[in-house]
Amino acid sequence: AQRVTQPEKLLSVFKGAPVELKCNYSYSGSPELFWYVQYSRQRLQLLLRHISRESIKGFTADLNKGETSFHLKKPFAQEEDSAMYYCALRGETSGSRLTFGEGTQLTVNP
Amino acid sequence: NAGVMQNPRHLVRRRGQEARLRCSPMKGHSHVYWYRQLPEEGLKFMVYLQKENIIDESGMPKERFSAEFPKEGPSILRIQQVVRGDSAAYFCASSGPGDQPQHFGDGTRLSIL
């Protein structure tokens, strides 16, 4: 079975502070990991996928297979980063479906 | 490209009625996915369809729920004889072939009175 855990439902930081949104997964094979973001009143949109190894809006995420984690990081948070963030997994044997974590609501305070 | 289009955005039904949710994928996409989000929970996979075929329905409830993606027109998620527990946000996503990422619609918020 595959599972994604985001241990923090709510995360609050001040503008300019570093931020890390945690994501742990359970999967026996080689998964593909994603981060999706949902800004207020907007649709869910893809932020990062681990195979791209890119930085979007200053965010990065590294797949750590030893710790089965895919934490999302940004060194200096901005107010416009306030949003709901979902970590998702696609398994190599589970077809195309995504398994989502429950999400972390990030608030960046001025 | 308008992206994935879902309608209606909000749907209110009384217990026992039928609910029909529509999803038009992004232009050029032939793969459609439906997810359900119950209050305070993450998105849960329901069904994956390609044109005229159900590829994976492992997340669909056994009764009352059905989905289709006809050769012409949008994908439809149909819930018969709705109950209070069906109240949720239903999201549709689409993708191209292979390992392309899924793009989501705005969702339909279903409320059961």
Side-chain angles (χ1 to χ4, degrees), chain B residues 3-58:
Chain B
V4 178
M5 301 301 294
Q6 289 189 249
N7 69 82
R9 291 289 301 274
H10 301 276
L11 182 61
V12 179
R13 285 287 177 265
R14 296 189 180 279
R15 281 178 292 173
Q17 291 184 319
E18 179 180 286
R20 280 182 177 243
L21 289 65
R22 293 175 185 76
C23 170
S24 295
M26 280 179 70
K27 189 175 180 181
H29 285 184
S30 58
H31 300 236
V32 166
Y33 312 82
W34 285 94
Y35 294 84
R36 177 166 65 173
Q37 185 177 33
L38 295 169
E40 306 296 320
E41 294 187 14
L43 283 77
K44 298 282 195 299
F45 169 79
M46 299 181 76
V47 62
Y48 163 35
L49 310 102
Q50 294 179 24
K51 285 284 187 182
E52 300 183 280
N53 284 305
I54 296 174
I55 307 301
D56 179 358
E57 56 181 348
S58 58

Side-chain angles (χ1 to χ4, degrees), chain A residues 3-7 22-26 67-71:
Chain A
R3 186 183 177 92
V4 176
T5 303
Q6 293 179 249
K22 292 185 168 48
C23 172
N24 290 91
Y25 67 89
S26 173
E67 295 183 358
T68 59
S69 68
F70 188 57
H71 303 326

Side-chain angles (χ1 to χ4, degrees), chain A residues 12-107:
Chain A
S12 183
V13 300
F14 286 104
K15 177 182 172 182
V19 64
E20 180 179 69
L21 290 88
K22 292 185 168 48
C23 172
N24 290 91
Y25 67 89
S26 173
Y27 185 70
S28 56
S30 293
E32 186 175 6
L33 275 295
F34 303 82
W35 276 99
Y36 280 83
V37 60
Q38 187 172 30
Y39 300 102
S40 180
R41 295 193 176 85
Q42 294 187 29
R43 61 183 57 184
L44 205 61
Q45 37 185 299
L46 179 66
L47 181 63
L48 287 176
R49 56 190 303 195
H50 90 268
I51 61 172
S52 300
R53 301 187 67 81
E54 57 192 345
S55 173
I56 304 292
K57 299 184 179 183
F59 285 97
T60 59
D62 291 315
L63 180 61
N64 186 324
K65 292 188 177 181
E67 295 183 358
T68 59
S69 68
F70 188 57
H71 303 326
L72 183 68
K73 300 177 184 178
K74 185 169 182 175
F76 307 104
Q78 303 299 314
E79 288 179 70
E80 55 265 30
D81 296 328
S82 296
M84 192 72 171
Y85 291 80
Y86 293 95
C87 183
L89 175 154
R90 182 163 66 189
E92 58 193 351
T93 57
S94 55
S96 295
R97 71 175 185 269
L98 293 172
T99 298
F100 282 87
E102 295 195 354
T104 298
Q105 178 67 50
L106 174 65
T107 301

